[in-house]
Amino acid sequence: AFVFDIERNTAQLFIDGLLEKTSNAFTPDYTSLGKTVVGRAKYGNLPAFNGNIHEFRIWKKPLSLGEINIYAVKRLTSNT
């Protein structure tokens, strides 16, 4: 899971439920308008992600490790 907290400007990467990396210098490459791109760089000529993405979810708030672990095994029933 990847968590970005815009208020704290902190990015966290969790792998198999464990915190792998934290960055306090993450700069997201997006604006409030336009498309969100997953699996490749929005700008530049970098290679695209070569693999499979099982699930992709966007939340309105940064999730805690506990919330990530709960939602990782929970089937969602709505788009809220």
Side-chain angles (χ1 to χ4, degrees):
F2 176 80
V3 177
F4 176 62
D5 186 335
I6 196 166
E7 292 179 6
R8 294 187 174 115
N9 196 41
T10 301
Q12 295 177 305
L13 178 64
F14 295 89
I15 298 177
D16 294 331
L18 300 174
L19 180 62
E20 182 73 20
K21 180 143 181 119
T22 299
S23 173
N24 294 322
F26 180 76
T27 304
D29 185 18
Y30 71 90
T31 62
S32 60
L33 303 172
K35 296 179 180 179
T36 299
V37 179
V38 176
R40 69 175 176 86
K42 187 173 181 180
Y43 304 106
N45 198 15
L46 299 172
F49 172 74
N50 185 14
N52 297 311
I53 298 174
H54 181 261
E55 288 186 30
F56 182 76
R57 300 176 184 183
I58 297 177
W59 301 90
K60 294 180 181 180
K61 65 174 191 150
L63 300 180
S64 68
L65 176 57
E67 290 170 316
I68 290 169
N69 288 324
I70 289 169
Y71 292 129
V73 296
K74 185 176 182 180
R75 183 177 180 100
L76 301 181
T77 58
S78 69
N79 291 328
T80 59

